[in-house]
Amino acid sequence: MSAKSAVPAAPALPVVRARKASRVAAVTAVAGTAVLAVCSPAFAHVSVQPEGTAAKGGYAVIDFKVPNERDDASTTRVEVDFPADHPIASVMPQPMAGWKIEVTKSKLAKPLEMHGQKYDQAVTKVTWTAEDKGIEPGYFQKFPLSVGTLPENTDELVFKAIQTYSNKEIVRWIEVPQKGQDEPENPAPVLALSAATDDHHGSATAQGTAEDAAEETSAKTETTASDDSGAADGSDTTARVLGVVGIVVGAAGVAYGVLAGRRRSTTGTEA
């Protein structure tokens, strides 16, 4: 037998298996990284959404959603700057337990006109400061505002927000997203505006304004006046009924007295 055919070559199965194992491990690592990226807190940022619709030229209730992105600190302060290029004159925050709310206004170079009235000031910032624990790790908080009137010459409003943690860390959500580009690392909250409505009141949930409060007070006043009038009418009717009853009783008494006198006279004559 020749030397060439003496010992056959050994199969390379261990090498193939090792390569396959390496490829599987690499794919698994990439997939794991993708999952971590999707679940990463960096994708949870401060945002703004309307309750219902936010129509141009109307009022709306909007919620700023603030998630806590830290595992070892709470969110203790939230500042939202209002757009200077599209000023909003009326902003009413909803009371929130455990939070102090401050609305900052500034004088306008050009007054705004709303419902026939001119306003020389507009809201420039709203600040929420925690009086207790704030937003703890693993939680988020909504901060509602009633705003109006919304501008009619833009499709969206950009609100820049600043988030402060209990460990003094500050995150600035101030980068304006651009159409056709990837979302920035710290995007600013953007409110999309819908087409104007005929009544210019926007969402029905935005009716918690001073005008509505005045209408409600007026309605209560009219109801109270109506109730008082009804009570007065009832008292007057009762008095009239009692008067008639008194007259009838009095007349019956007189009649009884006359008849009794006649009977006595008749009895005396017969005797």
Side-chain angles (χ1 to χ4, degrees):
M1 182 178 293
S2 64
K4 291 183 179 180
S5 58
V7 181
L13 291 178
V15 177
V16 174
R17 290 176 180 175
R19 289 179 179 177
K20 288 184 177 180
S22 300
R23 290 177 181 177
V24 172
V27 172
T28 303
V30 171
T33 303
V35 172
L36 290 176
V38 171
C39 300
S40 174
F43 285 83
H45 52 75
V46 177
S47 59
V48 59
Q49 291 292 334
E51 294 184 7
T53 59
K56 299 177 182 179
Y59 284 83
V61 173
I62 59 177
D63 295 328
F64 288 92
K65 182 180 178 181
V66 181
N68 186 9
E69 297 184 301
R70 301 295 178 264
D71 297 330
D72 56 352
S74 298
T75 297
T76 56
R77 185 181 178 92
V78 177
E79 302 174 59
V80 174
D81 290 332
F82 277 65
D85 53 344
H86 299 291
I88 299 177
S90 175
V91 175
M92 297 176 63
Q94 178 177 310
M96 297 177 58
W99 293 86
K100 177 184 177 182
I101 308 173
E102 181 181 0
V103 179
T104 304
K105 294 185 176 181
S106 298
K107 192 170 183 179
L108 295 171
K110 182 181 179 180
L112 290 174
E113 186 172 348
M114 295 191 317
H115 305 293
Q117 296 183 359
K118 290 186 177 181
Y119 296 84
D120 60 354
Q121 288 186 336
V123 175
T124 55
K125 181 169 62 175
V126 178
T127 305
W128 292 267
T129 304
E131 296 178 324
D132 196 4
K133 297 181 180 179
I135 309 174
E136 297 184 84
Y139 292 88
F140 73 91
Q141 179 75 54
K142 286 185 177 181
F143 298 85
L145 293 174
S146 175
V147 298
T149 57
L150 297 173
E152 300 184 53
N153 57 349
T154 183
D155 294 328
E156 61 183 24
L157 293 175
V158 178
F159 300 88
K160 296 182 178 182
I162 299 176
Q163 183 177 9
T164 303
Y165 288 90
S166 56
N167 60 1
K168 306 304 180 182
E169 180 186 0
I170 297 177
V171 180
R172 303 180 185 274
W173 305 98
I174 60 174
E175 299 179 54
V176 181
Q178 302 295 330
K179 293 183 179 180
Q181 298 183 10
D182 294 338
E183 185 178 67
E185 183 178 357
N186 294 314
V190 178
L191 176 67
L193 302 180
S194 60
T197 57
D198 294 336
D199 58 2
H200 284 259
H201 280 87
S203 173
T205 58
Q207 301 305 317
T209 62
E211 295 178 359
D212 297 326
E215 291 178 2
E216 184 179 354
T217 302
S218 177
K220 289 182 179 179
T221 303
E222 292 178 0
T223 303
T224 303
S226 176
D227 293 342
D228 293 342
S229 177
D233 292 342
S235 300
D236 185 57
T237 300
T238 303
R240 290 179 182 177
V241 172
L242 291 176
V244 172
V245 172
I247 293 174
V248 172
V249 172
V254 172
Y256 178 78
V258 171
L259 291 175
R262 287 181 179 179
R263 287 179 180 177
R264 288 176 183 176
S265 298
T266 304
T267 303
T269 302
E270 292 177 354

